[in-house]
Amino acid sequence: GDSVTQMEGPVTLSEEAFLTINCTYTATGYPSLFWYVQYPGEGLQLLLKATKADDKGSNKGFEATYRKETTSFHLEKGSVQVSDSAVYFCALSEEETSYDKVIFGPGTSLSVIP
Amino acid sequence: GAVVSQHPSRVICKSGTSVKIECRSLDFQATTMFWYRQFPKQSLMLMATSNEGSKATYEQGVEKDKFLINHASLTLSTLTVTSAHPEDSSFYICSATFWTSGGAKTQYFGPGTRLLVL
């Protein structure tokens, strides 16, 4: 079945450091790919998405490119801030389920220290 | 963007009681909503798909008589945890399908409901 794998956390970075969170997926069809962010004690917020190969999603300085050849959707940010501390979830939804059902990766906790 | 709300945000109840959690799409209609459960420091696990006007579809291993789902309108789905026990304590999150103007679908998530069963 479909699945999403993320790099193990927690990740601790200093402010203004470069961030990469790796994400790879397994899917039978042509999934849409997402990054969601969950701040402490809150629900999920859609951070960015890409719906087809080579698409780049971007938001709030974060970006990720849909790489079909490597089945990856790595999240990057050039300069992290303390306010970026949160848990980041890579996710996919499949065409065969009409893109309704979202499958999540295990999440990667990010802590940014001043 | 689309907004999904949940109520209550937190609930504490005694073991054996039932708890109802509401999920509302505030500015759009959603024929399909989803209920997830999240344990501490873990990912979201899909519990069931809630379809307006029909029975919910439950994921394998989820007790449908334990977790009752009602999707009575295009903007409201409810999850009732019946005869709750401490092991039901968790963070419950709903999502709703939003159609963009371009015809694509995106899931928008509610803020979650933290349930503590004593």
Side-chain angles (χ1 to χ4, degrees), chain B residues 57-75:
Chain B
T57 303
Y58 290 82
E59 295 299 300
Q60 192 172 11
V62 178
E63 299 176 61
K64 61 181 181 181
D65 294 330
K66 173 77 170 176
F67 300 98
L68 301 179
I69 292 172
N70 187 322
H71 194 154
S73 78
L74 288 172
T75 59

Side-chain angles (χ1 to χ4, degrees), chain A residues 6 32 34 36 38 41-46 49 51 87 89-90 93 97-107, chain B residues 10 32 34 36 38 41-46 49 59 91 93 95 97 100 104-112 114:
Chain A
Q6 288 178 240
S32 291
F34 309 87
Y36 285 89
Q38 185 177 34
E42 298 184 15
L44 268 69
Q45 298 177 28
L46 177 64
K49 68 175 184 178
T51 57
V87 180
F89 293 93
C90 186
S93 65
T97 58
S98 299
Y99 298 107
D100 274 345
K101 189 171 176 176
V102 180
I103 295 172
F104 289 89
Chain B
R10 292 177 179 270
T32 306
F34 299 86
Y36 295 83
Q38 185 182 31
K41 299 188 187 298
Q42 295 188 26
S43 190
L44 281 74
M45 300 300 295
L46 180 64
T49 303
E59 295 299 300
F91 194 48
I93 301 176
S95 72
T97 302
T100 67
K105 291 184 186 182
T106 298
Q107 290 297 314
Y108 282 90
F109 287 79
R114 192 164 300 283

Side-chain angles (χ1 to χ4, degrees), chain A residues 12-87:
Chain A
T12 302
L13 294 174
S14 297
E15 208 165 19
E16 299 183 3
F18 184 86
L19 168 71
T20 299
I21 301 179
N22 289 337
C23 169
T24 56
Y25 67 90
T26 302
T28 53
Y30 301 94
S32 291
L33 303 175
F34 309 87
W35 277 100
Y36 285 89
V37 58
Q38 185 177 34
Y39 296 101
E42 298 184 15
L44 268 69
Q45 298 177 28
L46 177 64
L47 181 59
L48 54 86
K49 68 175 184 178
T51 57
K52 60 183 187 297
D54 300 326
D55 270 1
K56 178 185 284 188
S58 61
N59 185 26
K60 299 181 181 179
F62 291 89
E63 58 181 36
T65 301
Y66 190 145
R67 300 287 188 200
K68 189 172 170 62
E69 63 275 14
T70 55
T71 61
S72 65
F73 193 55
H74 304 322
L75 182 68
E76 296 182 337
K77 186 175 185 182
S79 176
V80 294
Q81 305 300 313
V82 172
S83 57
D84 294 326
S85 299
V87 180

